[in-house]
Amino acid sequence: MLPRPMPIDERDLALLQRAVDLAERGRRTASPNPMVGAVVARDGRPLGEGWHERPGGPHAERAAIADCGDADPAGATMYVSLEPCCHQGRTPPCTDAILQAGIRRVVVAAGDPSEKVAGRGLGILRDEGVAVDVAAPDSAVGRAARLQNQPFRKHARTGIPWVMLKAAASLDGRLATHTDDSRWISGVASRELAHQWRADVDAVVVGIGTALADDPLLTARVPGVERQPRRVVFDSEARLPLTSRLVTSLDEAPVTVVASRAAPRSATDALESSGVEVVVAAGANEHSRVRSGLESLGQRGVTSVMIEGGSHLAGACFDAGMIDELRLFVAPIIVGGRQAPGVLGGQGVERIADAVRPVELSRTTVGDDLLTVARIKEW
Ligand code: AOF
Ligand code: ZN
């Protein structure tokens, strides 16, 4: 008896990886949609390629079919980084486009976890006689495809944005001195990288303490950014001054204040009159308010946030179990002082046995700083 052919061979994996690479082109424009890339190929030779550029625009599959031009995709194979959609959203279902084009086989890197799709896209294709293969979940390409869309995947499953905490600490783990001086802990290269990350997320978040102390602008100062992140201040009493750089730069990017019911009406009204969006987070304690504030952002289409401090807000988010990834710069300086704030305020865990252990770590140097990226949750 002949050995059963491998469902996905090396050539398939290379084209699937190409689809994942193409998807990357939508990193700063596709949200709240996922990044998706697709390749149409016959006998391993690409006929057309595409990616999803922005919401309302064509999905990767239609873009790849259109890119085939005069080459007829009938009978060809489509490689796509995410399961094709099967519902009418801002655009028609990709399953229809695939069937109309006469594609005979579809190879997918990862499933689409959103309720409207979740396996149904693949089911429809199989029912119509298309051969469907899915990369093994623990394969390199499968992992890369899921990793690429962590914000979309978490938001689709929970309604809550993916939360990344960025911090710059001294060798002894301090974010600032005991007098609250924090300029600058990390080096120039680290700070430039953090500006790139601002451009990658839907929102940049700080606590009111940081907003008052630093009067930050929180925009992504990198060339060629066409969409600035929303700027969000967790500010339970709505103390953000109308004269702050955040409020006076609304023409650059929107600002949202997440207040609590304790905020005086006069303060929230004044912020709203200045053009700031005010969200009232429900909940009796800080943890539930953090969660509720993030949920409200998620309802507004924010799929990813970067928390930039300070210690208090970061600690509250950690204690609420809300942090999905930590990106920590450790700079070669020593600050000292019991009163100097650490990376995470809040309560923290009780025992070392309860300490949170990341699912994956990577460490690199950026200038003189050590950057640790700790992935805590996987979606
Ligand atoms: C795909 N290929 O390239 C993308 C998909 O409003 P719409 O029509 O753009 O649909 C958005 C949903 O479609 C999104 O929530 C996700 O489930 C899927 N995105 N699917 O087959 C793509 N961007
Ligand atoms: Zn689609």
Side-chain angles (χ1 to χ4, degrees), residues 58-62 83-87 91-95:
H59 285 188
E61 296 89 326
R62 284 182 192 272
E83 170 182 4
C85 69
C86 52
H87 64 288
T91 65
C94 285
T95 44

Side-chain angles (χ1 to χ4, degrees), residues 93-348:
C94 285
T95 44
D96 288 358
I98 291 169
L99 296 170
Q100 272 159 24
I103 302 276
R104 289 264 287 281
R105 179 176 177 233
V106 172
V107 186
V108 169
D112 181 340
S114 46
E115 213 177 307
K116 290 184 193 132
V117 188
R120 293 203 305 138
L122 301 181
I124 288 171
L125 293 171
R126 285 192 180 108
D127 287 351
E128 297 293 332
V130 175
V132 173
D133 290 309
V134 182
D138 58 353
S139 63
V141 72
R143 290 173 56 83
R146 289 197 311 280
L147 196 56
Q148 180 174 58
N149 276 319
Q150 287 293 293
F152 170 76
R153 302 184 76 81
K154 181 184 180 189
H155 184 254
R157 283 163 63 171
T158 66
I160 298 176
W162 178 80
V163 178
M164 184 253 283
L165 170 65
K166 176 234 119 184
S170 62
L171 278 178
D172 54 325
R174 303 297 200 259
L175 291 184
T177 68
H178 71 96
T179 65
D180 248 347
D181 182 29
S182 62
R183 285 202 170 133
W184 297 102
I185 293 189
S186 56
V188 174
S190 299
R191 286 174 353 237
E192 272 173 19
L193 192 53
H195 273 278
Q196 299 283 349
W197 296 342
R198 282 183 181 173
D200 288 345
V201 292
D202 293 338
V204 175
V205 178
V206 294
I208 183 62
T210 298
L212 293 175
D214 297 352
D215 195 16
L217 198 51
L218 303 178
T219 49
R221 264 111 57 210
V222 279
V225 174
E226 52 176 282
R227 204 178 56 171
Q228 286 289 339
R230 171 179 292 275
R231 298 163 301 163
V232 178
V233 185
F234 275 70
D235 179 11
S236 52
E237 290 163 35
R239 288 189 291 150
L240 184 68
L242 301 180
T243 52
S244 61
R245 294 214 290 161
L246 283 168
V247 179
T248 53
S249 63
L250 287 169
D251 51 332
E252 287 185 53
V255 173
T256 300
V257 159
V258 179
S260 75
R261 293 205 187 92
R265 186 65 193 268
S266 55
T268 55
D269 281 354
L271 284 166
E272 280 181 330
S273 309
S274 307
V276 172
E277 181 189 38
V278 177
V279 167
V280 178
N285 58 48
E286 201 170 27
H287 298 170
S288 46
R289 285 197 299 273
V290 160
R291 191 192 170 86
S292 154
L294 289 169
E295 273 168 357
S296 301
L297 293 174
Q299 283 159 7
R300 286 161 175 76
V302 172
T303 66
S304 58
V305 308
M306 169 157 81
I307 298 181
E308 291 215 28
S311 183
H312 182 87
L313 177 66
C317 291
F318 176 73
D319 288 348
M322 285 286 125
I323 296 180
D324 298 302
E325 185 170 306
L326 168 65
R327 296 187 187 172
L328 176 66
F329 294 106
V330 175
I333 57 169
I334 301 169
V335 171
R338 195 193 337 200
Q339 306 298 332
V343 174
L344 296 176
Q347 192 68 40

